[in-house]
Amino acid sequence: MNPFLPNCDRTMQGAQIRCLILACGNSLRGDDGAGPWLATWAENCFRAEPAVRVLARQQWTPELAEEIAHAESVLFVDCAVNVHPGKLQLVAVTPPANAPALSAHHLGPAELLDLSRSLYDSLPRSALLLTIGAGSLELSEQFSDAVQAALPAACRLVEEAVGRLLAGAAPADPPHCA
Amino acid sequence: MSQTITIDPVTRLEGHGKITIHLNSQGEVENAHFHVTQVRGFERFCEGRPYYEMPGLMARICGICPVSHLIASAKACEAVMSVRIPHTAAQLRRMLNLAQMVQSHALSFFYLSSPDLLLGMDADPASRHLFGVVAAKPELGRAGVALRRFGQSIIELLAEKRIHPGWVVPGGVTEPLPAAKRDEILAMLPAAYDNVKLALDAYKQIAGQFKEEIEVFANFPSLYMSLINEDESIEFTDGEVRLIDADGHVLDDGITVNTFTEVIGEAVEPYSYTKFAYYKPLGYPQGSYRVGPLARLNIVKSMGTPLAEKELAEFKQLATGPVQGSFHYHHARLVEILYGIEKIEQILNDPLILDKHVRATAGVNRLEGAGYAEAPRGTLMHNYKVDENGKMLWANLIIATGQNNNAMNKGVLQVAQHYVRDGKFTEGILNRVEAVVRTFDPCLSCSSHALGQMPLALSLVSASGEVVDKVVRG
């Protein structure tokens, strides 16, 4: 038992979390809402699977390190601005080699893993990051055409990634693009 | 030749700000300003909307203390409706506000200020952040994360969302508290007590290392203002406003929402979008005052909970009258976290806390209403005018950060005059100039809301107005 992790965690609901899906985004900012949308989809998809826990946040904050510390594996889901709109990428994530600079308001997946390790001496066995290229982050509750068209493939990729994580796939698997 | 130093952006704040330090021809600090460069437009956005939408709209002002806006707004609406909310609803709101205070204070102390306190003001900025704290004092890092999560989890349990929650509505709250959620919160309390005790012990051990900062971090006599109960105990959600002078004497008391704007005025300065609140009978700037944890602990006679009561007695030993140094905001914040945990426990043990009657209803019975609450950073006031159909005609918000604005500016000047020599400053000095602002934990988004990102910056300006040096950190 990890002495640094609180025993009583209301989020665990008594079940071992084998895969934590951690989505990020704002549903009022166009394609930034793709992460929360996929989280809602995943929640329905894995409703019967108590070992999968889904969380969606507008920002990834340091408190999530505790959730990560409890999980065997993590799938981070976010949009990306540095790739073509609608482009899907699935890559392995590891903590940074050097201590990263830290914002109190927002962290990336690698920083969260690092914080989980530093605070709770616990690191998930595997961590993946699924991103979907954003076309527009303007104020809107609609997705761009490119992201809308990519959502079915994104859902399949989430399903596939969770399957890999539940099966205990190694984090060093090659990146997947769609 | 005189010069100006600019710090832009000031880091580890809630919002965008900038500091300029003006030097005379001898290189001595002549003046300094803390600029809030964001613009808030919320009072205008809401014109024309139905008054009952106001809590939901106002909660969007800020992601850190939406609950305070929610509560102050709902109370202003209840003044329009002329209703008194049920006891259980008032208790549930009080708990929600305290949960927010705990998470906000934890963010301020552990995430924003503990890097300075634990690693030192002159520590390498590359490691002067939460990761540095975690590496140096992992148990404190865990305590900070856990306390923030404690507050956020309660907000989420009660109001479904930790940021921009609903649930609080004009007339009360939308849903009663189920027994299972009460028990869930009760189960979180033991760890919360342990964590705040750890932080208080650690703070008391390290505070002695900051004698110089304690002496010059906005350490001057001022007025103080906060809500207070009839029995002179601390209050965050109800009560009436009291103002004390620099010697601790009551200057004005029993200020209700209806008389608030008669005694509190707001001045403007050309260098900031945040207004400067002041006590009208003394004029501006003589009537400037401080709000927030330091003010609350200076004003109240008791905390009303046993453990915090002991801490208050110890806190009051720091000075013979009011504790004037703003460095002590850090200490006051921890005492308030302890109070918040104890008070939440008391509320959960209220025999009526599971009562189903949690909302009163009414239509428009008055054309103006105001409400206030203690936000983590200080007293918050919402004042609305509506037409006979309940359409919003006018709104004014008096925000804690605006009420601390003059003290923050004086504090920046005091620190700059103490540390800057011959027009030169080191990174450690730059950090101290920022750190004095951090003691107030200002929330700039809320005091003057803006779209977009939010950072702060330091400039050195010559007597002729030329910017001779500028530091921008993001």
Side-chain angles (χ1 to χ4, degrees):
Chain A
M1 189 179 132
N2 186 330
F4 302 128
L5 275 174
N7 276 337
C8 175
D9 182 0
R10 70 180 192 85
T11 62
M12 301 298 290
Q13 299 169 332
Q16 174 68 31
I17 301 303
R18 296 191 54 221
C19 180
L20 171 67
I21 299 175
L22 203 46
C24 185
N26 183 342
S27 59
L28 300 176
R29 299 300 295 258
D31 292 343
D32 195 37
W37 189 93
L38 285 167
T40 304
W41 178 86
E43 209 156 10
N44 288 323
C45 180
F46 300 107
R47 190 175 292 280
E49 176 51 86
V52 176
R53 173 168 164 73
V54 184
L55 287 176
R57 294 281 185 266
Q58 290 193 343
Q59 293 175 320
W60 285 326
T61 55
E63 300 79 60
L64 291 167
E66 193 185 316
E67 298 277 357
I68 290 169
H70 279 290
E72 278 183 23
S73 66
V74 185
L75 173 63
F76 296 96
V77 183
D78 198 359
C79 75
V81 292
N82 56 350
V83 294
H84 292 302
K87 183 177 172 65
L88 298 171
Q89 285 190 316
L90 183 67
V91 295
V93 189
T94 54
N98 300 313
L102 182 76
S103 156
H105 295 84
H106 182 79
L107 298 175
E111 289 78 28
L112 276 172
L113 290 174
D114 193 53
L115 202 54
S116 171
R117 182 175 60 183
S118 306
L119 280 174
Y120 306 110
D121 196 23
S122 174
L123 203 55
R125 189 188 64 244
S126 313
L128 298 171
L129 169 64
L130 170 65
T131 56
I132 181 164
S136 170
L137 302 176
E138 294 303 311
L139 288 173
S140 169
E141 292 184 82
Q142 307 292 319
F143 296 130
S144 67
D145 291 345
V147 166
Q148 187 70 44
L151 287 175
C155 293
R156 287 194 295 277
L157 207 47
V158 168
E159 205 167 4
E160 180 190 320
V162 171
R164 286 171 60 191
L165 291 170
L166 290 176
D173 284 358
H176 178 116
C177 295
Chain B
M1 187 185 77
S2 61
Q3 298 175 314
T4 298
I5 303 167
T6 302
I7 305 178
D8 186 7
V10 177
T11 57
R12 285 185 272 141
L13 296 182
E14 300 300 343
H16 259 272
K18 184 175 87 168
I19 289 170
T20 55
I21 299 172
H22 298 264
L23 307 177
N24 62 21
S25 49
Q26 284 78 48
E28 296 159 342
V29 174
E30 199 166 71
N31 210 344
H33 292 309
F34 172 57
H35 312 252
V36 176
T37 51
Q38 303 177 180
V39 184
R40 185 184 71 206
F42 268 72
E43 284 103 330
R44 284 301 180 95
F45 298 160
C46 65
E47 285 179 10
R49 304 304 306 170
Y51 77 95
Y52 50 78
E53 285 185 0
M54 289 300 286
L57 288 174
M58 291 297 118
R60 261 66 184 179
I61 284 180
C62 179
I64 299 296
C65 51
V67 170
S68 306
H69 285 284
L70 206 53
I71 289 173
S73 179
K75 289 175 74 177
C77 293
E78 284 147 10
V80 167
M81 298 155 71
S82 299
V83 292
R84 178 182 288 182
I85 69 170
H87 165 82
T88 301
Q91 287 284 67
L92 290 170
R93 283 184 182 183
R94 185 170 284 116
M95 177 161 54
L96 188 73
N97 203 21
L98 291 169
Q100 177 202 245
M101 179 269 285
V102 169
Q103 70 86 17
S104 176
H105 280 2
L107 173 70
S108 170
F109 182 81
F110 292 97
Y111 292 16
L112 306 181
S113 289
S114 76
D116 298 330
L117 301 175
L118 295 169
L119 307 176
M121 296 283 172
D122 296 299
D124 179 0
S127 60
R128 202 175 53 216
H129 47 58
L130 184 58
F131 268 104
V133 171
V134 167
K137 300 270 183 193
E139 68 284 3
L140 275 176
R142 281 192 293 275
V145 168
L147 279 171
R148 181 127 203 269
R149 191 168 171 203
F150 167 78
Q152 288 181 322
S153 297
I154 294 175
I155 295 170
E156 195 171 20
L157 275 169
L158 295 176
E160 292 196 357
K161 289 196 294 182
R162 55 184 64 194
I163 297 174
H164 304 150
W167 190 59
V168 174
V169 290
V173 295
T174 54
E175 297 288 337
L177 178 68
K181 287 188 177 181
R182 176 198 57 187
D183 297 345
E184 217 170 307
I185 299 171
L186 283 169
M188 297 179 205
L189 293 170
Y193 280 118
D194 290 346
N195 288 325
V196 71
K197 183 178 183 312
L198 191 74
L200 270 162
D201 289 347
Y203 176 82
K204 288 174 191 172
Q205 278 178 15
I206 58 174
Q209 298 165 20
F210 295 92
K211 289 196 173 86
E212 192 175 357
E213 287 82 1
I214 288 171
E215 204 53 44
V216 299
F217 271 30
N219 184 15
F220 44 74
S222 77
L223 314 182
Y224 296 93
M225 189 178 88
S226 80
L227 287 175
I228 188 166
N229 281 319
E230 261 182 60
D231 64 0
E232 302 195 302
S233 63
I234 198 164
E235 176 59 60
F236 282 79
T237 309
D238 293 312
E240 292 181 346
V241 165
R242 173 177 290 180
L243 257 151
I244 61 168
D245 66 18
D247 297 319
H249 301 123
V250 175
L251 191 62
D252 209 331
D253 207 7
I255 304 169
T256 66
V257 284
N258 299 321
T259 57
F260 192 81
T261 50
E262 290 171 18
V263 294
I264 300 299
E266 293 180 286
V268 291
E269 294 283 3
Y271 56 84
S272 182
Y273 281 116
T274 293
K275 292 183 276 190
F276 292 70
Y278 64 98
Y279 180 56
K280 281 182 181 172
L282 295 185
Y284 177 76
Q286 292 79 7
S288 299
Y289 54 89
R290 279 181 269 186
V291 295
L294 185 71
R296 290 190 285 256
L297 265 55
N298 276 333
I299 289 173
V300 301
K301 304 288 188 221
S302 87
M303 299 299 282
T305 58
L307 296 175
E309 192 70 32
K310 285 182 191 159
E311 293 295 336
L312 177 69
E314 196 177 327
F315 182 84
K316 285 190 180 283
Q317 294 298 312
L318 292 168
T320 48
V323 177
Q324 309 279 12
S326 287
F327 193 91
H328 297 296
Y329 266 100
H330 297 307
H331 187 172
R333 239 166 239 127
L334 294 176
V335 176
E336 287 193 341
I337 289 177
L338 177 58
Y339 162 78
I341 297 165
E342 285 186 288
K343 190 70 186 175
I344 286 170
E345 184 171 21
Q346 283 184 358
I347 292 170
L348 289 170
N349 288 318
D350 180 333
L352 294 176
I353 200 64
L354 302 181
D355 195 273
K356 302 282 186 269
H357 181 49
V358 291
R359 189 170 182 180
T361 54
V364 175
N365 288 305
R366 292 175 56 199
L367 299 181
E368 183 170 359
Y372 46 31
E374 282 293 325
R377 290 151 189 85
T379 314
L380 166 67
M381 199 248 194
H382 283 221
N383 191 3
Y384 305 154
K385 289 179 184 172
V386 300
D387 69 11
E388 287 173 357
N389 298 314
K391 189 172 83 174
M392 286 293 299
L393 299 176
W394 174 87
N396 188 35
L397 280 56
I398 299 180
I399 306 292
T401 294
Q403 295 171 80
N404 277 332
N405 211 359
N406 195 267
M408 285 191 288
N409 275 276
K410 283 177 75 174
V412 167
L413 178 61
Q414 190 179 30
V415 170
Q417 284 180 327
H418 182 81
Y419 288 103
V420 177
R421 291 281 174 271
D422 301 323
K424 294 188 173 61
F425 60 94
T426 62
E427 204 287 327
I429 291 172
L430 170 72
N431 187 42
R432 284 174 177 83
V433 175
E434 295 180 276
V436 67
V437 178
R438 277 184 218 121
T439 63
F440 292 88
D441 188 25
C443 186
L444 312 183
S445 325
C446 165
S447 63
S448 65
H449 205 79
L451 293 173
Q453 297 292 311
M454 28 180 180
L456 192 147
L458 182 107
S459 314
L460 196 48
V461 183
S462 72
S464 60
E466 183 193 357
V467 177
V468 285
D469 203 353
K470 186 170 180 175
V471 181
V472 178
R473 301 198 313 202

